[in-house]
Amino acid sequence: LRKENIMTDELRVNSDRMFAAFNELASIGATEAGGVHRPTFSEGHLAARQWFQEEAQQSGLEFRMDGAGNHSAVLVGTTDNALTLLLGSHLDSVPDGGRFDGALGVIAALEVLKTIQENGVHHKFRLEAIDFTDEEGTLVGLLGSAALTGHLHLELLQNPRGGRENLIEGMMRAGLSEESIWSARRPKESLAGYLELHIEQGKRLERSGIQIGVVYANVGISSYRLSFIGRADHAGSTLMQDRLDASLGASSFTLAAREVVMKEFPNCVVNVGNMQFTPGAFNIVPARVDVSLEFRSAEDSEFDRLDTALLALAYTEAKRFDLDFKADFRGRHKPTPMSDSVQRAFVESCDALGLTHTSLVSGAGHDGQSFAGICPMGMIFVPSVNGTSHSPYEFTKWEDCVNGANVLLQAVLRLAK
Amino acid sequence: LRKENIMTDELRVNSDRMFAAFNELASIGATEAGGVHRPTFSEGHLAARQWFQEEAQQSGLEFRMDGAGNHSAVLVGTTDNALTLLLGSHLDSVPDGGRFDGALGVIAALEVLKTIQENGVHHKFRLEAIDFTDEEGTLVGLLGSAALTGHLHLELLQNPRGGRENLIEGMMRAGLSEESIWSARRPKESLAGYLELHIEQGKRLERSGIQIGVVYANVGISSYRLSFIGRADHAGSTLMQDRLDASLGASSFTLAAREVVMKEFPNCVVNVGNMQFTPGAFNIVPARVDVSLEFRSAEDSEFDRLDTALLALAYTEAKRFDLDFKADFRGRHKPTPMSDSVQRAFVESCDALGLTHTSLVSGAGHDGQSFAGICPMGMIFVPSVNGTSHSPYEFTKWEDCVNGANVLLQAVLRLAK
């Protein structure tokens, strides 16, 4: 046993093999700008899915597809009735996206299984590298992981953000149906955990020169449509002091919201992603401005305080310009803490590998969220150059990709020992 | 001669007859809310035009229509080769507009001619009450007056703000054609002047309790599309301090532009009538915001200083948030001063009638602008209740309407003596 410990501590992924696989995958749905275009069930995405199946089978892993279209490569456990430890990410991309987002996590998961398999290491779990369907939300968002964990609701399928027709047509192209999706659900008793390697999509690691980010929580996301309501008036004959100009409330709120978050909620973010002016003409004082507001926090009580602070601020700014105000709630995902046990396994692995690491929050949504309350889960980040993401210019140094894969490998070995 | 002077000084319009005509006209294209819906060459507008023709003919005035669709009721002069003094306004309305904007000026012009005609007053000018085509700009804007004064350009007809198909179809419905428009032009030597009575469409008269506003200038109007350009970023994983958020420049400019105009240009107005966000999603930091900016000034040098101040401000606000900035010039009408001789005739008339009056600027565009450099012109305003305009709730007390018509009558008598 002691000999095996030494052996597994020294185990590393095969960087060259992983690099070859990464580049093969990056050539599928490749764009001229150097990224990939693989929206869910598009031609490029279907080709990438086909590649995954062949890669799994050629590696001697067991290929499996469930009713939600999730593709898996399985390394059966060395004990009977083994629980499943999932390692995964996604092969779909945003339109005109990058080569690393999602793909790196899938490639690393496959490489971890190959490394464990070829070294004949004992592992108590059934190990499964999984490519989740529609993480990015071309159709629904986190579709595959929500189906697997039982978090999918009928309403999400009936009114999907990508449009119902696109969902049904896309599923048909992948040989799936609305009914088949429900069969993807697995009993939570069968799951040992979920681990994911992903690019950071931010600048924190790069700026601090730290190699690995161990995620301690996925942020909660809340969104509102805020309406500042004044009065349409002739923009020539109405004196400035006689106007009820909706643009003033919307503008003032936009600036003040940023100030409040930066000063009072330094761990949170806020975004005014859109404003719609009514009637929206050069020569008419805006009667109404609808503001698309989104904000994120990693911690429940802070999230609630932020919600209260921003809505109070919007009301105050509206009244400052004698405007009416309405807030239309648009949705909320609670913050999702990562499991302590998985974070510990990642930290110990970084230390064993001599990699610098820090604990951080994930500002983006990820499939890990779907596993909240289902089984232990955790994520690690590797640095994104310039923080760029969802762009053809998305880039992570290969050395960092390999570091991430080795941390994933070592964490699996620690958990599955 | 002295006896006639006394007689004409005491001449007044027939309030009851004018009231009956006003109400008849207001019933054409009437809306449930109490306004009128008479966009150029709509069913309601064509019916109002028909009413004008019948009204002119029944009053024993000569009816005339030119190639631009301008309708006139003419009282031939009492001297040979008389120059034409035009009195007018327009019968078209904005969609779902009010009963007074335009209509009052046409009704008053007709009533002035009837009064002069029935009293057999000597007048050296050919007097013409005119209803100008498309003042409000459903199709082109100031179309009829621009055609009459030779200010129409082919480009305006080829790329009209209401759409080219609508222009051609509308003209056909009125029995006009694109070719006929050009024939409406009159030699400027034939014109003695242009006088118009209009509602103020603002609150200055009502607030100061003054009965008549003598317009000294039509404001100049300038418009730009300002672009604040940052960078699209993930609104979750990008820290607040790492963003190049275009909404900040646009919002900050909107607030600052209002401050600057109210403090440093108290006679001017500015409007941010629209903002367009790109990409405009809840979860993406705005990469670009395009701002529709319009500002107005009554005086040339102030207009130029305002232009410089606002563009410098926009640049400063963009740089404050590290944004790029572009200004796309969208058009400019110079300020149009009214003729001193016509203003004097209005002022003397007010004094003779015992009406309080003040000199003010017109913040809205009017057909009078078309007469700049062509012949003497002038306008008077009567109070708008609450300053409301372009709305079914547009209202002016009938007493004020009659006051305006009497000032118009007295000014005509003074000028045509």
Side-chain angles (χ1 to χ4, degrees), chain A residues 161 200-204 207 219 223-225 231 233-243 245 247-252 254-255 257-258 261-262 266 268-286 291-294 296 320-321 330 362-365 386-390, chain B residues 161 200-204 207 219 223-225 231 233-243 245 247-252 254-255 257-258 261-262 266 268-286 291-294 296 320-321 330 362-365 386-390:
Chain A
R161 55 187 264 178
E200 183 196 347
Q201 306 178 277
K203 289 186 182 181
R204 290 163 296 178
R207 185 176 289 147
V219 292
S223 51
Y224 287 88
R225 175 69 51 102
R231 188 181 60 218
D233 268 314
H234 194 295
S237 56
T238 315
L239 299 182
M240 298 303 288
Q241 55 268 33
D242 290 338
R243 302 179 180 197
D245 182 342
S247 79
L248 302 174
S251 295
S252 191
T254 298
L255 296 168
R258 175 174 175 263
V261 167
M262 289 181 78
C268 301
V269 290
V270 64
N271 190 49
V272 168
N274 200 13
M275 290 189 197
Q276 285 187 306
F277 278 54
T278 306
F282 272 96
N283 58 356
I284 304 178
V285 177
V291 167
S292 298
L293 172 72
E294 190 194 80
R296 308 189 188 209
R320 192 145 81 88
F321 296 100
R330 296 300 292 264
S362 167
N386 291 323
T388 306
S389 172
H390 286 188
Chain B
R161 55 187 263 178
E200 183 196 347
Q201 307 180 277
K203 289 185 181 179
R204 290 163 297 179
R207 187 177 287 150
V219 292
S223 49
Y224 287 88
R225 176 68 52 102
R231 188 181 60 218
D233 268 315
H234 194 294
S237 56
T238 315
L239 299 183
M240 298 303 289
Q241 55 267 34
D242 290 338
R243 302 180 180 198
D245 182 342
S247 79
L248 302 174
S251 295
S252 190
T254 299
L255 296 169
R258 174 172 175 265
V261 168
M262 290 183 78
C268 301
V269 290
V270 64
N271 190 48
V272 169
N274 201 11
M275 290 189 198
Q276 285 187 306
F277 278 54
T278 305
F282 272 95
N283 57 355
I284 304 178
V285 177
V291 168
S292 297
L293 173 71
E294 190 195 80
R296 307 188 188 211
R320 192 145 80 90
F321 296 100
R330 296 300 293 264
S362 168
N386 291 322
T388 305
S389 174
H390 285 187

Side-chain angles (χ1 to χ4, degrees), chain A residues 265-331:
Chain A
F265 298 89
N267 298 318
C268 301
V269 290
V270 64
N271 190 49
V272 168
N274 200 13
M275 290 189 197
Q276 285 187 306
F277 278 54
T278 306
F282 272 96
N283 58 356
I284 304 178
V285 177
R288 177 177 177 136
V289 178
D290 294 312
V291 167
S292 298
L293 172 72
E294 190 194 80
F295 51 91
R296 308 189 188 209
S297 167
E299 199 269 312
D300 267 329
S301 73
E302 183 189 53
F303 196 29
D304 289 340
R305 280 189 298 115
L306 177 59
D307 192 307
T308 306
L310 288 175
L311 286 177
L313 185 67
Y315 182 82
T316 303
E317 295 304 319
K319 290 303 145 195
R320 192 145 81 88
F321 296 100
D322 291 324
L323 303 171
D324 285 334
F325 175 71
K326 277 198 283 194
D328 178 20
F329 178 66
R330 296 300 292 264

Side-chain angles (χ1 to χ4, degrees), chain A residues 84-409:
Chain A
T84 296
L85 182 64
L86 293 162
L87 317 178
S89 200
H90 58 95
L91 293 186
D92 66 316
S93 80
V94 295
D96 205 14
R99 291 171 290 157
F100 295 82
D101 183 349
L104 174 62
V106 173
I107 290 289
L110 284 168
E111 177 57 33
V112 164
L113 263 58
K114 290 178 203 170
T115 303
I116 292 176
Q117 181 184 40
E118 72 189 359
N119 285 281
V121 183
H122 171 89
H123 52 99
K124 68 177 178 186
F125 296 134
R126 177 177 172 278
L127 299 176
E128 182 170 341
I130 190 161
D131 159 29
F132 282 121
T133 299
D134 189 43
E135 193 268 354
E136 295 288 5
T138 305
L139 302 176
V140 175
L142 307 185
L143 175 59
S145 59
L148 188 148
T149 54
H151 283 125
L152 199 65
H153 297 292
L154 193 58
E155 199 194 311
L156 276 172
L157 299 183
Q158 283 171 343
N159 190 22
R161 55 187 264 178
R164 183 150 169 78
E165 247 175 69
N166 292 333
L167 173 62
I168 291 168
E169 283 173 19
M171 306 250 303
M172 267 177 53
R173 281 199 298 279
L176 303 165
S177 73
E178 255 191 297
E179 292 69 41
S180 72
I181 290 184
W182 305 101
S183 70
R185 183 168 185 178
R186 302 202 199 171
K188 64 187 209 171
E189 296 73 25
S190 71
L191 300 173
Y194 174 67
L195 272 59
E196 181 169 354
L197 162 65
H198 204 277
I199 57 168
E200 183 196 347
Q201 306 178 277
K203 289 186 182 181
R204 290 163 296 178
L205 292 176
E206 183 186 61
R207 185 176 289 147
S208 56
I210 292 173
Q211 293 164 303
I212 300 287
V214 178
V215 178
Y216 67 85
N218 241 136
V219 292
I221 306 179
S222 213
S223 51
Y224 287 88
R225 175 69 51 102
L226 305 180
S227 301
F228 295 87
I229 302 161
R231 188 181 60 218
D233 268 314
H234 194 295
S237 56
T238 315
L239 299 182
M240 298 303 288
Q241 55 268 33
D242 290 338
R243 302 179 180 197
L244 295 178
D245 182 342
S247 79
L248 302 174
S251 295
S252 191
F253 170 72
T254 298
L255 296 168
R258 175 174 175 263
E259 289 294 309
V260 162
V261 167
M262 289 181 78
K263 281 184 191 147
E264 297 172 31
F265 298 89
N267 298 318
C268 301
V269 290
V270 64
N271 190 49
V272 168
N274 200 13
M275 290 189 197
Q276 285 187 306
F277 278 54
T278 306
F282 272 96
N283 58 356
I284 304 178
V285 177
R288 177 177 177 136
V289 178
D290 294 312
V291 167
S292 298
L293 172 72
E294 190 194 80
F295 51 91
R296 308 189 188 209
S297 167
E299 199 269 312
D300 267 329
S301 73
E302 183 189 53
F303 196 29
D304 289 340
R305 280 189 298 115
L306 177 59
D307 192 307
T308 306
L310 288 175
L311 286 177
L313 185 67
Y315 182 82
T316 303
E317 295 304 319
K319 290 303 145 195
R320 192 145 81 88
F321 296 100
D322 291 324
L323 303 171
D324 285 334
F325 175 71
K326 277 198 283 194
D328 178 20
F329 178 66
R330 296 300 292 264
R332 182 180 172 110
H333 295 281
K334 282 169 64 70
T336 320
M338 302 286 143
S339 311
D340 289 339
S341 58
V342 178
Q343 289 182 65
R344 206 176 313 119
F346 282 136
V347 166
E348 287 172 7
S349 301
C350 289
D351 288 339
L353 289 161
L355 299 171
T356 54
H357 56 88
T358 186
S359 182
L360 42 64
V361 71
S362 167
H366 291 292
D367 284 312
Q369 289 170 226
S370 298
F371 291 87
I374 301 295
C375 65
M377 42 76 172
M379 270 189 103
I380 49 170
F381 284 160
V382 286
S384 291
V385 172
N386 291 323
T388 306
S389 172
H390 286 188
S391 152
Y393 309 112
E394 186 176 270
F395 188 71
T396 293
K397 290 179 202 156
W398 186 248
E399 188 191 333
D400 287 324
C401 295
V402 174
N403 286 341
N406 277 323
V407 174
L408 188 66
L409 169 65

Side-chain angles (χ1 to χ4, degrees), chain B residues 51-267:
Chain B
W51 173 88
F52 180 99
Q53 177 170 354
E54 288 164 14
E55 179 73 8
Q57 289 165 339
Q58 283 167 17
S59 309
L61 300 166
E62 186 185 309
F63 173 76
R64 184 180 187 278
M65 178 172 96
D66 69 19
N70 298 314
H71 275 186
S72 298
V74 182
L75 184 58
V76 176
T78 42
T79 58
D80 287 344
N81 300 320
L83 300 185
T84 296
L85 183 65
L86 292 162
L87 317 177
S89 199
H90 58 95
L91 294 187
D92 67 315
S93 80
V94 295
D96 204 15
R99 291 171 292 158
F100 294 83
D101 182 349
L104 174 62
V106 173
I107 291 288
L110 284 168
E111 176 58 33
V112 164
L113 263 59
K114 291 178 201 169
T115 304
I116 292 175
Q117 181 185 38
E118 73 190 359
N119 285 281
V121 184
H122 169 89
H123 52 100
K124 69 175 177 186
F125 296 135
R126 176 177 173 279
L127 299 176
E128 182 172 340
I130 190 162
D131 160 30
F132 282 121
T133 300
D134 189 42
E135 194 266 355
E136 295 289 4
T138 305
L139 302 175
V140 175
L142 308 184
L143 175 61
S145 59
L148 188 147
T149 55
H151 283 127
L152 198 64
H153 298 291
L154 193 58
E155 199 194 311
L156 275 172
L157 299 183
Q158 283 171 343
N159 190 21
R161 55 187 263 178
R164 184 150 169 79
E165 247 176 69
N166 292 333
L167 173 62
I168 292 168
E169 283 173 19
M171 306 251 304
M172 269 177 52
R173 279 200 298 278
L176 302 164
S177 73
E178 253 190 299
E179 293 69 41
S180 72
I181 290 185
W182 304 100
S183 70
R185 183 170 185 175
R186 304 203 199 172
K188 64 187 210 174
E189 297 74 25
S190 71
L191 299 173
Y194 174 67
L195 273 58
E196 181 169 354
L197 162 65
H198 205 276
I199 55 168
E200 183 196 347
Q201 307 180 277
K203 289 185 181 179
R204 290 163 297 179
L205 293 175
E206 182 186 62
R207 187 177 287 150
S208 57
I210 291 173
Q211 292 164 303
I212 300 288
V214 178
V215 178
Y216 67 86
N218 241 134
V219 292
I221 306 180
S222 213
S223 49
Y224 287 88
R225 176 68 52 102
L226 306 181
S227 301
F228 295 86
I229 302 161
R231 188 181 60 218
D233 268 315
H234 194 294
S237 56
T238 315
L239 299 183
M240 298 303 289
Q241 55 267 34
D242 290 338
R243 302 180 180 198
L244 295 177
D245 182 342
S247 79
L248 302 174
S251 295
S252 190
F253 170 72
T254 299
L255 296 169
R258 174 172 175 265
E259 289 294 308
V260 163
V261 168
M262 290 183 78
K263 280 185 190 149
E264 297 171 31
F265 298 89
N267 298 318

